[in-house]
Amino acid sequence: DVKVTQSSRYLVKRTGEKVFLECVQDMDHENMFWYRQDPGLGLRLIYFSYDVKMKEKGDIPEGYSVSREKKERFSLILESASTNQTSMYLCASITAGVGNNEQFFGPGTRLTVL
Amino acid sequence: DAKTTQPPSMDCAEGRAANLPCNHSTISGNEYVYWYRQIHSQGPQYIIHGLKNNETNEMASLIITEDRKSSTLILPHATLRDTAVYYCIVSKNTNAGKSTFGDGTTLTVKP
């Protein structure tokens, strides 16, 4: 069974803290994605990565950074958490190449910033 | 990627077919139609995708109109566990997963 796992299901942090959200996939996928999901706004792409050490900005990268040191792991970093970053964060992965855009999603991390 | 329009909510009786519509009038020739669903408190799950022809798998059927400007996802015998938000997405396969998810349709299956 293909699997995308995220380090925490629920996380509570304080304003100004540095926050790390980890995502690991066991499918040897090249491409990985971080989304946030908010009511009324759907899923919005924050960052994505096509390969180790490569990253590209998505639609809402402000306030976030990412790290991809190993193929299976994609980390989302909130350098200084703010209350408007309270959200559900979803990680996804997909194999590279033309053919199928089926994304595999993790269970999500619900982050609350106080 | 082309944008999609879906009704915000729908109800369906358990055991009946659920037909979820999606408009994608600006779809281009090399864009596929994908459907995902998200059950409460879980990540989205892929259901099915297609380009021109109708598609069927163990979960659902996808009917795409001849002009490709709209499609319908059919769950042939809806169960209570099919209650979820259903997302219709249009995407080039070369985008390698970079997709735009809207608000989707909240399907409620009622006993």
Side-chain angles (χ1 to χ4, degrees):
Chain A
D1 242 9
V2 296
K3 220 166 181 184
V4 179
T5 56
Q6 295 183 228
S7 49
S8 306
R9 289 301 306 273
Y10 300 94
L11 207 54
V12 179
K13 295 291 181 181
R14 297 213 173 268
T15 301
E17 279 193 78
K18 190 168 185 175
V19 181
F20 291 87
L21 302 182
E22 304 284 339
C23 175
V24 177
Q25 50 94 4
D26 64 0
M27 297 163 281
D28 202 35
H29 283 169
E30 289 81 5
N31 304 337
M32 297 186 74
F33 307 83
W34 273 107
Y35 294 88
R36 65 176 281 177
Q37 184 174 31
D38 301 287
L41 297 175
L43 273 74
R44 293 180 290 167
L45 183 63
I46 305 171
Y47 265 98
F48 57 104
S49 169
Y50 286 144
D51 202 350
V52 174
K53 296 195 186 294
M54 291 182 67
K55 60 186 178 186
E56 288 196 35
K57 292 179 180 179
D59 300 319
I60 52 161
E62 296 78 20
Y64 303 94
S65 61
V66 290
S67 172
R68 185 121 182 249
E69 295 296 318
K70 292 185 177 182
K71 190 176 185 181
E72 67 270 18
R73 188 179 298 268
F74 192 34
S75 302
L76 180 70
I77 304 154
L78 287 67
E79 294 289 342
S80 177
S82 62
T83 54
N84 62 13
Q85 292 178 310
T86 291
S87 186
M88 168 71 92
Y89 290 88
L90 290 157
C91 175
S93 73
I94 187 171
T95 194
V98 177
N100 189 344
N101 257 3
E102 177 187 347
Q103 294 187 62
F104 293 88
F105 283 86
T109 295
R110 188 165 292 281
L111 172 68
T112 301
V113 182
L114 301 175
Chain B
D1 290 343
K3 289 197 174 177
T4 62
T5 305
Q6 298 176 254
S9 63
M10 291 181 64
D11 290 344
C12 178
E14 190 178 17
R16 304 297 294 268
N19 298 291
L20 293 97
C22 180
N23 285 324
H24 29 80
S25 57
T26 59
I27 192 170
S28 59
N30 60 351
E31 287 181 316
Y32 287 69
V33 180
Y34 284 80
W35 283 83
Y36 288 79
R37 75 178 183 185
Q38 187 174 22
I39 295 170
H40 183 61
S41 297
Q42 297 182 24
Q45 175 194 22
Y46 166 84
I47 301 172
I48 199 167
H49 77 285
L51 182 63
K52 293 182 194 176
N53 300 321
N54 299 338
E55 302 287 342
T56 295
N57 63 21
E58 65 279 2
M59 289 182 70
S61 295
L62 174 60
I63 309 296
I64 303 174
T65 58
E66 195 168 338
D67 63 7
R68 304 211 319 124
K69 293 185 176 181
S70 65
S71 61
T72 301
L73 179 75
I74 301 172
L75 309 177
H77 305 286
T79 71
L80 298 179
R81 285 176 294 183
D82 291 322
T83 292
V85 179
Y86 287 79
Y87 297 98
C88 169
I89 296 151
V90 175
S91 175
K92 297 182 181 66
N93 267 3
T94 53
N95 275 8
K98 187 184 167 195
S99 303
T100 300
F101 287 71
D103 283 336
T105 296
T106 299
L107 174 69
T108 303
V109 180
K110 299 186 173 179

